[in-house]
Amino acid sequence: MKKIYFLFSLGLAAGLQAQTNLDFETGDFTGWTGFQGNFTTSNQLPLTNVTTGITVLPLNSSGAHVIVDANYPANGCGAFFPVGEQNYSAKLNNLQTTHNATGIRQAFTVTPANALHIYGSAIVLTDGVHPNGGIEEAFFRSEVLDANNTLLIQKMFHPNMVSSTFTICFQGSTFYRPWTCDTLDLSPYIGQTVTISHTASHCLYIGHIGWAIIDAACGNPNGTTNTNQSPNKISVLQNPSPDGLFA
């Protein structure tokens, strides 16, 4: 039995697809694949008209995929610190009012060492007061997909969520969630290759913005702060309820 387990371990190690640049400390999107699409149906469903790629832009510039540092403007949210950890984080989506959505994804092999995937995000969303249970609202979501592109886990944030952790930001209807560590439990998928995906989107009807800054490493999950972390980071949130929503 020990020999069989040893052979399995060797096989896993030989085919291992490692995580890369989770914290963006290379100052770019090395290791990540970018995509953009349109939000045209429900914020719980895949995007339409999806294209892949990342246009390289200067630090702290405007655009869909941008690396930011501590000098990135807070855009009206006084407590919105632009970097989650260390020197750099990644901003997703432009600040224009279209129904554009922007995301990044990365595939890797799940091992016992990375089976609890912890990442940080800070989110800005405008509440459009849309009907239909919030499925038409601007959103930020994190997803896990298997090698066949089947959805395994989805975490969703939008302004209409009950008991959400959003705070009023500016202009009366725009909200932000300060830097928060979230978790994805990947332990059922040890030995498999999965894809982590993060997406920020404006609303369905073009009039309300949605964007986020992420730092896909979150080394301080207990909510205490240090000089390398946002001063308003709060505690880890657990996996979502069965409907996939964080409410």
Side-chain angles (χ1 to χ4, degrees):
M1 184 65 89
K2 290 183 179 179
K3 291 182 178 179
I4 294 174
Y5 177 79
F6 178 68
L7 289 173
F8 170 78
S9 300
L10 284 178
L12 177 60
L16 184 68
Q17 187 168 347
Q19 295 172 309
T20 304
N21 193 30
L22 294 182
D23 55 6
F24 306 100
E25 289 305 304
T26 60
D28 56 25
F29 286 94
T30 296
W32 295 90
T33 299
F35 61 90
Q36 294 188 69
N38 297 134
F39 169 23
T40 57
T41 51
S42 162
N43 55 24
Q44 298 179 41
L45 296 177
L47 305 175
T48 60
N49 304 316
V50 175
T51 60
T52 59
I54 294 175
T55 299
V56 178
L57 297 168
L59 183 72
N60 295 329
S61 62
S62 61
H65 297 97
V66 176
I67 298 297
V68 300
D69 65 12
N71 295 312
Y72 186 74
N75 290 283
C77 297
F80 192 93
F81 193 79
V83 177
E85 290 198 10
Q86 300 186 64
N87 299 307
Y88 302 108
S89 293
K91 181 181 75 68
L92 301 181
N93 218 18
N94 54 51
L95 306 185
Q96 302 170 2
T97 52
T98 66
H99 58 191
N100 188 70
T102 300
I104 55 175
R105 57 179 175 248
Q106 182 174 148
F108 59 90
T109 304
V110 181
T111 69
N114 64 20
L116 185 63
H117 183 77
I118 302 176
Y119 63 98
S121 63
I123 309 166
V124 176
L125 303 171
T126 298
D127 188 355
V129 198
H130 298 310
N132 302 319
I135 64 173
E136 300 172 343
E137 295 284 357
F139 67 88
F140 173 75
R141 71 188 183 203
S142 297
E143 298 173 309
V144 180
L145 302 97
D146 67 13
N148 296 316
N149 215 34
T150 300
L151 183 65
L152 303 174
I153 300 172
Q154 183 183 79
K155 282 191 171 184
M156 174 77 68
F157 296 90
H158 61 73
N160 283 352
M161 291 172 58
V162 177
S163 302
S164 72
T165 53
F166 285 105
T167 303
I168 190 69
C169 179
F170 62 100
Q171 299 177 352
S173 60
T174 298
F175 299 82
Y176 73 94
R177 190 188 73 157
W179 278 100
T180 306
C181 294
D182 295 321
T183 62
L184 296 170
D185 183 7
L186 306 180
S187 56
Y189 315 110
I190 289 175
Q192 300 181 36
T193 297
V194 301
T195 296
I196 297 287
S197 175
H198 303 286
T199 307
S201 177
H202 305 315
C203 84
L204 180 66
Y205 297 111
I206 304 179
H208 306 100
I209 65 169
W211 57 282
I213 301 180
I214 70 166
D215 208 321
C218 204
N220 185 24
N222 294 318
T224 57
T225 60
N226 60 48
T227 57
N228 291 327
Q229 295 177 310
S230 166
N232 49 21
K233 184 176 293 182
I234 60 177
S235 61
V236 169
L237 302 176
Q238 298 304 311
N239 280 318
S241 53
D243 62 2
L245 298 181
F246 226 87

